[in-house]
Amino acid sequence: MKKILDLISAQVMAAFEACGYDASYGKTGISNRPDLCEYQCNGAMAAKKAYQKAPIVIAQEVAEKLQGNGIFAEVNAVNPGFINIRVSGGFLADYLREMQSDGNLSVEKTREPETILLDYGGPNVAKPLHVGHLRSAIIGESVKRIARFMGHKVIGDVHLGDWGLQMGLIITEVRHRQPELPYFDEQFTGEYPKEAPFTISELEEIYPTASAKSKEDAAYRDEALEATAKLQDGVRGYRALWQHILDVSVTDLRKNYQNLNVEFDLWKGESDARTYIPEMVARMKQGGFAYEDQGALIVDVKEERDTKEVPPCIILKSDGAALYTTTDLATIVDRMQTYKPDHIIYIVDKRQEMHFTQVFRCARKTGLVQEDTKLTFLGFGTMNGKDGKPFKTREGGVMRLETLIADINAEMYKKIVENHEVDPQEAKETAKLVGLSAIKYGDLSNQASKDYVFDIDKFTSFEGNTGPYLLYTIVRIKSILNKYRENGGILQKGHILAPANESEKGMMMELVKFNSMIEQAFEEIAPHKVCSFVYELANAFNRFYHETRILGEEDAARQTSWIELLDLTREVLETSIDLLGFAAPERM
Ligand code: ARG
């Protein structure tokens, strides 16, 4: 469907033209003075120079031309040359009826679908998922859903951290604890055990222990470096042990992401890039891009316009080991060959910006990606605690994601059973849904690049700009619709009338913004725009609801219209929160 602003602009542009001015001056936008008007055109001021005429005169002529036009309720020329517009209720009702029957709720799918590869999640195997990885998962999932809704082909890749020093550290620690395991016996030629020699909780303890030891003990660190190199070289026992680490971790990660309602299409990792490394390195050398510097292989990526130093990309360390940069570059090779994306978007902590600047530049310079593939780094800010420092447990440790989710759900459960009597099992399920909305909305309602404070009290509140408030609003609408059905009403489409009052019109004015908002959220990769939209729409509905007796209305046509309007609002709200990655319960 055409966007409402385009329909309005078309009329105003035609009027400019009919008055002898260039049509382009008629472009109209949303008013920034909602107390004065709904839409506003400032073209008369812009036309002043070209036509040597007072803007107010131009505005008056155009406003005059628009009198009697059915889509407007009011068009006024105001000093020094604004054209202030209010649309007619009939026009809004027409638009909403069309929206009711539109398969995509008025959003036009793109005519040029792109293949977008989304790199998000980015957990490191053998480390518990902690809140640092929460943002990537939440934002990425939403970006994926928004892009798909627009008709693009999106491939989400979790890009596990499974190939660097952390793997060497774990292997080393396991070796210290259980040196008798066959993985460390180079003479061993038999089959390795099917069972992993550790559980997930053991793994989660092994990694930090190893990491701490390596910081204090140089010999231990050297061992870990050697283990990393052996793993990357393909030493059989190390690969087998690594596979166990991977399997145990991935099982746990899948469960965690499932609880977050986050789903990946690909479960690839840094290690999957390994087979692409030798050829990539050879090409970089042949092309004269990569050269040796103090034993390491590097590619210069600084540019003249740089205001701060961009260090060269290290492709291989002096011991031949692959680094984070190496795997990211080789992953690009894999992605280009396997999926041919038009766009690769990385949703990663903004503190990694320099890394991605280097990787992107190197990839372009060495021809791994061509001009027609976009590379985007969407860096997100830190999730802080109330003290303004990175979010921690009360004891000051790293907060596990599972703990955070459990805390939130417990808080929601308490509130739900406090509110009214419910079956404990149902309350538990509801608490999960509401808890997820609290976490996700709390995160997504902030612009991704900004740091934000994770405030449990605020996020779990049923009032204010929160996930639970939205769900509460949706549930309220559902309950009205259910009562209507219980009273014998049948939900239909196509009977929305012009609004009966200002609060109803206000709600309609929010609904008609849906398509342009989604387009913007996609283009700017900005889920927070969906959040502001749902919040405004929920507020507009609640205002209407408090002023209107819907189920008691005696005029049947009026009541049908309201019910349909509510159902459309529900559909738009539910679609929007689905794009944010959470859902509403039936009751709460
Ligand atoms: N595993 C990395 C980390 O925890 C994030 C990976 C982001 N994606 C990428 N292609 N580098 O920091």
Side-chain angles (χ1 to χ4, degrees), residues 119-124 127 130 133 136 157-162 166 270 324 327-328 331 335 346-349 352 355-356:
D119 183 313
Y120 71 112
N124 299 313
K127 289 193 206 168
H130 60 85
H133 290 107
S136 180
D157 182 7
V158 69
H159 199 72
L160 299 165
D162 63 357
Q166 80 231 40
E270 293 170 357
Y324 190 40
T327 54
D328 258 325
T331 300
R335 287 175 177 166
Y346 295 81
I347 298 175
V348 186
D349 193 312
Q352 293 193 23
H355 165 75
F356 284 97

Side-chain angles (χ1 to χ4, degrees), residues 286-301:
Q286 270 161 26
F289 303 114
Y291 63 91
E292 260 182 50
D293 184 58
Q294 297 167 41
L297 191 71
I298 64 173
V299 173
D300 285 324
V301 289

Side-chain angles (χ1 to χ4, degrees), residues 306-342:
D306 289 345
T307 48
K308 69 177 169 202
E309 167 153 4
V310 181
C313 242
I314 305 179
I315 308 296
L316 290 178
K317 283 206 308 183
S318 50
D319 63 358
L323 293 162
Y324 190 40
T325 321
T326 324
T327 54
D328 258 325
L329 286 164
T331 300
I332 291 182
V333 177
D334 178 13
R335 287 175 177 166
M336 293 313 294
Q337 284 182 12
T338 317
Y339 311 104
K340 302 182 180 55
D342 301 293

Side-chain angles (χ1 to χ4, degrees), residues 23 34 48 52 63 87 127 149 160 239 286 318 343 376 436 441 449 455 486 504 512 527 541 579 583:
K48 171 181 170 189
Q52 294 294 319
V87 288
K127 289 193 206 168
F149 193 70
L160 299 165
R239 281 285 169 89
Q286 270 161 26
S318 50
H343 194 175
T376 301
L436 194 61
Y441 190 84
S449 62
D455 182 340
E486 281 159 21
E504 185 181 3
V512 300
F541 160 75
L579 296 178

